[in-house]
Amino acid sequence: MTLRVSTPQQEGVYQGSKYLKHQVLCDAEELKRLMDRLGSFFIYHLTGLNDGEPIGHARFLGEYAGWIEELKEGRIPSDGALRTTLACAWTVDADSLWKQEVPGNRYIVKVARPVVQVQAHFFTYSPIDEVFRPMTMGAGNIFWGLQFSFPQIYQDPKTMELLEIEECSNAELFQTIKQWVRDETRATPFVVNGKKTNVPIRLGKGCFSWIHKHPQLIEQKIGVHAN
């Protein structure tokens, strides 16, 4: 669905807080089952200049599947492609977004009401304090699928009223993602120097058979315990 063209003066500035986040590395079949479970929803880029049109489900899934295949073959997916393609909004309501026109018939997509924000997820491991830290950038970070995030409180950009998330059309969308995380994934049992640590970042059940091929895990001598 084509988004409305508007301006910050008309729309105000959206703000959300108290985000719930799920970080998941899953295979393409598991992600497809999630998208099938969600049913009808739209995907829009949230970074860079684009045409402001929705991304097809097949295209999104196909690009993600390509990156997972690279991991299985021991290659690291392109960092730039991950950050640009996997930075988007999932929404059942296109009115939750709008687009601002910029010179050259291009647009910047903006948020008006809460949407599920989906982006590439990276974590780091510190051998000094033996801590796994999700959603961290910089040297030594490890690609680990997707982060799904959704606020619990948001401010209406026009009235400035603070609103509970139950009043938002995408609340059920995020609840479905939350249930899928429980059904299809597990807390990841990482192993470093013979010590196993269950970490809240999740791993799809279908990934345990090949995760030992992940090149960044191999490089940092991090294993995953397979039951």
Side-chain angles (χ1 to χ4, degrees):
M1 180 179 292
T2 298
L3 302 177
R4 67 183 182 277
V5 179
S6 191
T7 66
Q9 290 74 26
Q10 292 174 296
E11 299 291 336
V13 178
Y14 163 82
Q15 294 187 77
S17 64
K18 296 185 178 179
Y19 280 81
L20 295 180
K21 301 175 182 179
H22 295 289
Q23 295 107 8
V24 180
L25 176 61
C26 62
D27 65 22
E29 284 300 315
E30 289 165 329
L31 183 60
K32 184 180 185 301
R33 287 198 290 273
L34 169 61
M35 298 174 81
D36 289 344
R37 187 183 296 196
L38 293 174
S40 178
F41 69 98
F42 304 102
I43 305 175
Y44 292 90
H45 280 302
L46 285 179
T47 58
L49 303 179
N50 56 75
D51 59 8
E53 295 300 312
I55 307 167
H57 289 197
R59 175 187 165 191
F60 183 92
L61 184 61
E63 292 197 25
Y64 181 82
W67 294 319
I68 295 303
E69 286 305 310
E70 288 191 79
L71 290 183
K72 290 180 179 180
E73 294 170 4
R75 302 195 309 273
I76 303 171
S78 165
D79 185 76
L82 290 172
R83 295 183 194 278
T84 54
T85 302
L86 292 182
C88 56
W90 289 16
T91 179
V92 297
D93 177 14
D95 285 338
S96 295
L97 300 161
W98 58 280
K99 59 185 181 182
Q100 179 180 353
E101 189 171 8
V102 296
N105 294 320
R106 306 293 280 175
Y107 300 91
I108 302 172
V109 176
K110 303 279 191 176
V111 178
R113 293 193 296 272
V115 296
V116 177
Q117 295 186 41
V118 182
Q119 60 197 113
H121 170 245
F122 300 81
F123 76 86
T124 57
Y125 171 73
S126 170
I128 297 173
D129 54 10
E130 300 182 337
V131 173
F132 293 84
R133 292 184 171 86
M135 215 58 199
T136 50
M137 306 303 174
N141 63 5
I142 296 171
F143 171 61
W144 201 260
L146 306 173
Q147 174 175 276
F148 301 92
S149 59
F150 194 67
Q152 297 306 288
I153 297 174
Y154 71 102
Q155 187 175 53
D156 186 287
K158 295 180 178 179
T159 68
M160 308 304 287
E161 180 184 5
L162 289 175
L163 300 171
E164 297 290 338
I165 211 61
E166 287 78 8
E167 303 173 42
C168 170
S169 59
N170 285 310
E172 185 175 346
L173 189 75
F174 187 71
Q175 286 301 315
T176 302
I177 293 170
K178 183 178 179 179
Q179 186 60 52
W180 168 82
V181 169
R182 292 174 177 170
D183 294 343
E184 297 271 1
T185 73
R186 290 178 47 201
T188 308
F190 286 117
V191 180
V192 181
N193 294 325
K195 178 182 177 181
K196 185 176 79 169
T197 304
N198 285 314
V199 179
I201 62 174
R202 311 285 291 193
L203 182 61
K205 295 177 182 177
C207 300
F208 279 83
S209 62
W210 59 261
I211 196 60
H212 61 283
K213 299 179 182 178
H214 192 310
Q216 292 166 314
L217 294 183
I218 295 171
E219 181 181 358
Q220 299 190 41
K221 297 181 173 57
I222 300 172
V224 174
H225 182 77
N227 291 331

